[in-house]
Amino acid sequence: MPILKNLGVADSKVPRAGTLPLRSSRNPFEEVPGLEEEEVGELGTLPNGTSCRRRATLEKLAGLAPFRLGWTPGRRAGSPGDGQPRSFLGRMLTPGIRRSSADFGLLARLQGTRAQGDEEAAGEAARRLAFLRLGRGPKPRRASLAERVVPAGEAAPEPPPKVPEPLKMKEPLSVLEILSLIQQRELSRADEHILELEAEELASSGGGAPGPPGAEGAGGGRRARDVALLYEALQRELWALVRETLAGPGPGAGAGTGAVAQLGQVLLQEEAADGRRGPGAARKLRARWAEAVGRAARERLEAAAPGAPGGLAGQLEALRARLLEDMGGVRGRLAPAYPAGLGAFGVYLRGYHGALAEWLGAAARRRLPLPDRYALLHWHNQVYPREVLGLVDLVALENGELGPLLSPGTLRGLEDECVTDVKAQTRAALLRVLQENEEHWGSTEDRPSSLAQDVCELLEEHTERAPRISQEFGERMAHCCLGGLAEFLQSFQQRVERFHEHPGVRELLPDTYISRTISLVNCGPPLRALAERLARVGPPESEPAREAAASALDRVTRLCHRVLADLLFQELQPHFNKLMRRKWLNSSEALDGIVGTLGAQALALRRMQDEPYQALVAELHRRALVEYVRPLLRGRLRCRSARTRSRVAGRLREDAAQLQRLFRRLESQASWLDAVVPHLAEVLQLEDTPSIQVEVGVLVRDYPDIRRKHVAALLDIRGLHNTAARQEILAVARDLELSEGGALSPPRDRAFFSDISVPRPPFCLGLPLFLGRLPLSRLARPDLACLPRLRPLSPSRPPTQR
């Protein structure tokens, strides 16, 4: 039966003994050239002496008994000997002889001819048997062979002992059979037979490493070519299996996993064989497997990216989804099917990592727009490490960490391009926004300004995205944007100055002009906060740009505050002109006008943001008190009696309290101004010199910009003409000025007396000098008691001749 199977005769087509007439069927091999029949020996007798010549055997029925190929004793003369090549069928049926790939064309034709003859004989026998059974009736029971041989009443003899069959030698497979195993994905068995064939080729070539085909004659060259072709077919099937299993589990998930297990087994077998082959002849299938995984990963990623919408950002998102999908399949389905020693998960991860690095490198070499560069840098630095590699146990990798997707030079180049593009784009965009906003400054339409919001949005788009990529890139982007902001604010300052200097601007409606100025002031706080934030994020060299931005904003704020204050005090000036007069002592009309006007204008000023509003209210508070004290120190009112001094001091205290309540209601933070008028009232009202000295010392301490000329003017108002007392009081002011550095100018927001100019102090002529020269009637006039200080003569002018 093994011979029949080798020849392609199925068991179902072989009729059993007793079912066919004892006719000799046509020999299926009688037309095969090179085959000759041998003599048929005696068939022997049964134990009871009966001949078994009449019984048909399986070999006779199949027509194979006369052909015992490979039988050496009794070989006919002229049959092939040891030195002669065997016939085709001899090579096909002789155990231990491998069929080569050249024998299988003839074998296929032979099997077709035999199969047709066997089918015809089987059909004719079946028709004859059916006819005989119809006439004979049911088949009678036959006696068994033991019943016929042993007479009745005797015991059956013991059956002969079973002779163990000799072990059959494993028959090597042919090249085409090995190829069939490869095509059927029986990869492990196929690789075993390829290794056997390779070993035979090595043995035939002298035991050395396999050489090139044709080196050892025709037979050796053909066998080497067969081995090479089989390895090529095996590798094609292995790498196709890698691609197919990556694509998905499919309907035959179990079969796919088994094939992956065979792939891993092949790799282990080949790795062991490489140790026997030596370094020069090693096939290194494990390294080629890693390359095949990389190629399959590249195909998978390239297939996922092109169809994704949304530009490069959409393609990167598609890559992320494909990576997560495939690596999830590798972790849960493929890696467990491989042998543990191969480190399959690490190989697949490195393959995908390398394929992704190639894809990103090709994308980085293209000329990308700024949003695509941002997307590429963010995906490389944040998304891939966090959402892809974060799900992978990198400690389990055999060779340590994975390399970078993009080289540091490539990343630096992308960042440099981003900084350059941001600098150019933001500069043009900021100037365009400023130009569009400036066109509405001179119009009568009252519309809110969005300049600061537009500028912040333009810069924050970059300053918020860059730090999410990397801290270093965020610092570089912050420095770039801060430089652009400082340049923009300097241009903004110049345009604001031109706006307020334009002669036609003030001719606008007052409400519109004030509203436009408030809008310009409101641009300061958000832009200042942006500059401070960029300076904190940026490197230390960003400080000069921050100072330039702050200086430009300070100039704009001071200019707009001065403009608003000037407009307000132009309206208040008539009320201030009524102060420090005799009517002022008896009526509060002037101060009520000041308080009412300031309270009304505060409603418009309240539209200003908190920071500039506080600064403006503090400036209004300071200027209001300066304008209040100015007419007092300029000598508009003089006290000639203690009663008058008391009335003036009381009025000063009442006005100071009313102004204090007003500016508290306006939320002024300049509380240091509340005590200046009460201190002046105390100096006017006190009578003894030591108390006046103490009060003057408090004035000099709290208001460092006060000078002796201001104290002298105050003493003149209270009517203190005693020279000794004046010198004692003025000496206190002089000593405090020298000890506390009063010569230094205070900050602008703390200056008070420096904004009040007083006339030069007069000097009094002694009475003995004028007794003989002035009439006594002139001495009765008190206004002539003190004359202005004489100016020194110029050296170029000669004295007047009398």
Side-chain angles (χ1 to χ4, degrees):
M1 291 301 291
I3 298 177
L4 295 177
K5 288 183 180 179
N6 286 336
L7 293 178
V9 180
D11 295 344
S12 59
K13 294 182 180 181
V14 179
R16 299 186 179 276
T19 59
L20 292 179
L22 298 178
R23 291 186 179 183
S24 62
S25 60
R26 183 178 58 89
N27 190 348
F29 298 135
E30 61 186 359
E31 299 178 0
V32 178
L35 297 181
E36 298 179 358
E37 297 183 0
E38 296 183 356
E39 294 294 337
V40 180
E42 292 295 331
L43 296 179
T45 57
L46 293 175
N48 58 0
T50 309
S51 173
C52 61
R53 182 182 299 273
R54 293 174 55 87
R55 293 191 175 274
T57 63
L58 185 58
E59 292 181 346
K60 287 184 178 182
L61 292 176
L64 298 178
F67 303 98
R68 301 183 181 274
L69 300 177
W71 179 255
T72 303
R75 184 172 63 246
R76 288 194 177 186
S79 62
D82 295 336
Q84 298 178 1
R86 294 180 178 271
S87 65
F88 162 72
L89 194 56
R91 291 196 306 270
M92 296 297 295
L93 298 181
T94 303
I97 301 299
R98 185 184 300 278
R99 281 81 67 194
S100 66
S101 57
D103 297 332
F104 278 81
L106 182 58
L107 178 60
R109 293 193 300 271
L110 174 62
Q111 288 179 343
T113 305
R114 264 188 71 259
Q116 182 179 1
D118 291 342
E119 290 175 0
E120 293 177 358
E124 182 181 357
R127 286 193 300 270
R128 290 178 179 176
L129 289 176
F131 174 75
L132 292 175
R133 281 195 295 269
L134 287 176
R136 173 171 71 180
K139 181 179 179 181
R141 178 183 176 277
R142 288 185 177 183
S144 65
L145 182 61
E147 293 175 352
R148 285 184 293 172
V149 172
V150 180
E154 295 183 7
E158 291 291 334
K162 294 183 178 180
V163 180
E165 298 181 359
L167 293 177
K168 297 181 179 179
M169 186 173 55
K170 182 179 178 181
E171 185 176 359
L173 298 182
S174 67
V175 174
L176 292 183
E177 289 171 326
I178 299 174
L179 181 61
S180 177
L181 291 177
I182 294 174
Q183 294 172 350
Q184 296 171 10
R185 293 279 173 92
E186 296 186 19
L187 304 176
S188 178
R189 286 186 56 201
D191 184 62
E192 292 176 357
H193 289 285
I194 295 175
L195 291 175
E196 293 176 359
L197 183 61
E198 185 181 26
E200 294 177 5
E201 193 270 335
L202 289 174
S204 64
S205 61
E216 299 293 336
R222 183 172 64 247
R223 191 178 293 110
R225 286 195 300 270
D226 289 344
V227 171
L229 293 174
L230 287 174
Y231 266 116
E232 291 179 4
L234 178 64
Q235 292 183 55
R236 280 196 301 269
E237 206 65 31
L238 292 175
W239 313 152
L241 180 63
V242 169
R243 290 193 302 271
E244 294 170 8
T245 52
L246 270 180
T257 305
V260 170
Q262 291 197 47
L263 190 155
Q265 186 63 32
V266 169
L267 296 177
L268 292 180
Q269 293 172 179
E270 288 295 327
E271 191 172 19
D274 283 344
R276 298 189 298 269
R277 294 185 183 113
R283 299 191 181 274
K284 301 179 181 179
L285 251 64
R286 188 167 179 177
R288 296 182 183 181
W289 167 57
E291 296 173 1
V293 170
R295 289 193 299 270
R298 190 181 308 113
E299 294 174 2
R300 293 280 295 168
L301 296 182
E302 290 176 355
L312 185 62
Q315 295 178 6
L316 293 172
E317 178 61 24
L319 289 179
R320 185 192 68 84
R322 178 57 57 86
L323 280 168
L324 293 178
E325 176 188 354
D326 288 1
M327 294 311 299
V330 170
R331 179 191 292 275
R333 180 171 48 88
L334 298 182
Y338 282 96
L342 293 177
F345 185 76
V347 171
Y348 276 86
L349 179 60
R350 294 182 188 280
Y352 272 91
H353 186 80
L356 184 61
E358 293 181 10
W359 194 95
L360 293 181
R365 287 189 292 271
R366 299 196 300 266
R367 179 61 184 173
L368 298 174
L370 183 59
D372 287 352
R373 283 200 212 98
Y374 273 132
L376 180 58
L377 288 171
H378 181 259
W379 199 91
H380 175 275
N381 288 21
Q382 299 297 327
V383 176
Y384 181 67
R386 182 180 63 249
E387 300 186 16
V388 179
L389 296 185
L391 306 177
V392 176
D393 185 12
L394 295 181
V395 180
L397 296 179
E398 295 181 356
N399 299 327
E401 296 182 357
L402 297 171
L405 289 175
L406 296 176
S407 65
T410 303
L411 292 176
R412 183 73 177 188
L414 289 174
E415 292 177 359
D416 291 342
E417 292 176 0
C418 286
V419 171
T420 303
D421 288 354
V422 166
K423 184 180 297 184
Q425 293 182 14
T426 53
R427 177 182 301 172
L430 291 175
L431 291 178
R432 183 174 61 255
V433 168
L434 181 57
Q435 182 68 31
E436 294 175 356
N437 198 273
E438 187 183 12
E439 294 175 356
H440 300 285
W441 291 355
S443 65
T444 57
E445 182 183 359
D446 189 8
R447 52 177 295 180
S449 175
S450 61
L451 177 63
Q453 180 180 358
D454 295 341
V455 171
C456 291
E457 288 178 356
L458 282 173
L459 296 180
E460 286 175 352
E461 178 185 359
H462 307 289
T463 58
E464 291 180 359
R465 295 185 67 176
R468 291 198 293 264
I469 295 174
S470 68
Q471 181 180 358
E472 180 185 0
F473 185 48
E475 293 178 359
R476 296 181 62 196
M477 188 60 67
H479 180 63
C480 168
C481 292
L482 182 57
L485 178 61
E487 182 180 350
F488 163 78
L489 290 178
Q490 293 173 359
S491 179
F492 174 64
Q493 172 202 340
Q494 297 171 1
R495 295 178 187 237
V496 170
E497 292 173 352
R498 288 200 303 265
F499 168 71
H500 288 296
E501 293 172 358
H502 195 276
V505 171
R506 295 182 183 270
E507 298 177 359
L508 296 172
L509 295 176
D511 293 341
T512 303
Y513 182 68
I514 293 175
S515 176
R516 192 76 67 236
T517 305
I518 292 175
S519 298
L520 294 176
V521 173
N522 285 338
C523 294
L527 296 178
R528 189 186 302 273
L530 177 61
E532 295 290 340
R533 185 167 63 253
L534 295 179
R536 287 194 302 269
V537 175
E541 53 267 22
S542 301
E543 186 62 23
R546 186 201 66 80
E547 294 177 355
S551 176
L553 288 174
D554 290 340
R555 292 192 182 95
V556 170
T557 302
R558 284 197 300 266
L559 174 60
C560 293
H561 283 176
R562 187 175 70 249
V563 168
L564 293 173
D566 290 344
L567 290 175
L568 180 57
F569 280 93
Q570 285 177 8
E571 188 176 353
L572 292 173
Q573 194 60 43
H575 301 287
F576 283 111
N577 291 335
K578 298 176 182 180
L579 297 174
M580 307 306 163
R581 300 183 185 275
R582 293 188 180 275
K583 187 178 180 180
W584 166 74
L585 285 174
N586 302 320
S587 173
S588 62
E589 177 185 354
L591 192 64
D592 292 342
I594 294 172
V595 172
T597 303
L598 285 173
Q601 293 295 334
L603 297 177
L605 299 178
R606 221 43 202 98
R607 292 179 296 171
M608 198 177 295
Q609 294 193 18
D610 289 339
E611 182 182 351
Y613 173 77
Q614 296 293 338
L616 177 58
V617 169
E619 177 63 17
L620 293 179
H621 193 176
R622 189 191 69 84
R623 284 190 63 174
L625 290 178
V626 166
E627 295 299 329
Y628 182 86
V629 174
R630 189 192 304 276
L632 177 66
L633 295 183
R634 293 183 72 88
R636 186 179 293 177
L637 181 68
R638 291 186 182 274
C639 303
R640 294 183 175 88
S641 63
R643 180 174 177 274
T644 304
R645 289 196 300 269
S646 179
R647 289 182 61 192
V648 171
R651 189 65 185 172
L652 289 175
R653 292 188 186 96
E654 291 177 5
D655 291 352
Q658 190 173 357
L659 289 173
Q660 183 177 354
R661 288 192 298 269
L662 169 66
F663 285 105
R664 282 183 179 177
R665 189 169 69 249
L666 297 181
E667 301 177 4
S668 172
Q669 303 295 326
S671 59
W672 62 278
L673 294 167
D674 296 338
V676 61
V677 176
H679 283 315
L680 297 177
E682 289 295 326
V683 172
L684 291 177
Q685 189 175 5
L686 292 174
E687 295 295 338
D688 57 310
T689 301
S691 298
I692 295 175
Q693 287 178 321
V694 172
E695 200 63 36
V696 170
V698 174
L699 268 174
V700 176
R701 182 196 63 192
D702 294 343
Y703 304 96
D705 59 338
I706 193 171
R707 296 294 178 262
R708 281 176 290 176
K709 62 182 180 180
H710 299 103
V711 178
L714 191 59
L715 295 178
D716 292 338
I717 293 168
R718 77 180 307 277
L720 181 61
H721 300 293
N722 188 340
T723 305
R726 289 174 67 94
Q727 292 300 327
E728 292 178 1
I729 296 172
L730 292 175
V732 174
R734 183 182 64 251
D735 294 341
L736 290 175
E737 287 177 11
L738 296 177
S739 64
E740 298 183 6
L744 299 176
S745 299
R748 178 63 189 170
D749 56 347
R750 298 302 296 262
F752 186 83
F753 288 98
S754 59
D755 287 350
I756 301 174
S757 61
V758 296
R760 301 185 69 178
F763 71 97
C764 296
L765 296 174
L767 289 180
L769 182 62
F770 290 94
L771 285 178
R773 299 183 181 182
L774 292 177
L776 295 178
S777 61
R778 298 286 300 274
L779 293 177
R781 298 176 59 183
D783 55 341
L784 295 179
C786 295
L787 301 177
R789 186 181 299 273
L790 296 177
R791 295 182 180 180
L793 294 176
S794 175
S796 61
R797 295 181 60 186
T800 304
Q801 297 294 331
R802 290 176 182 244

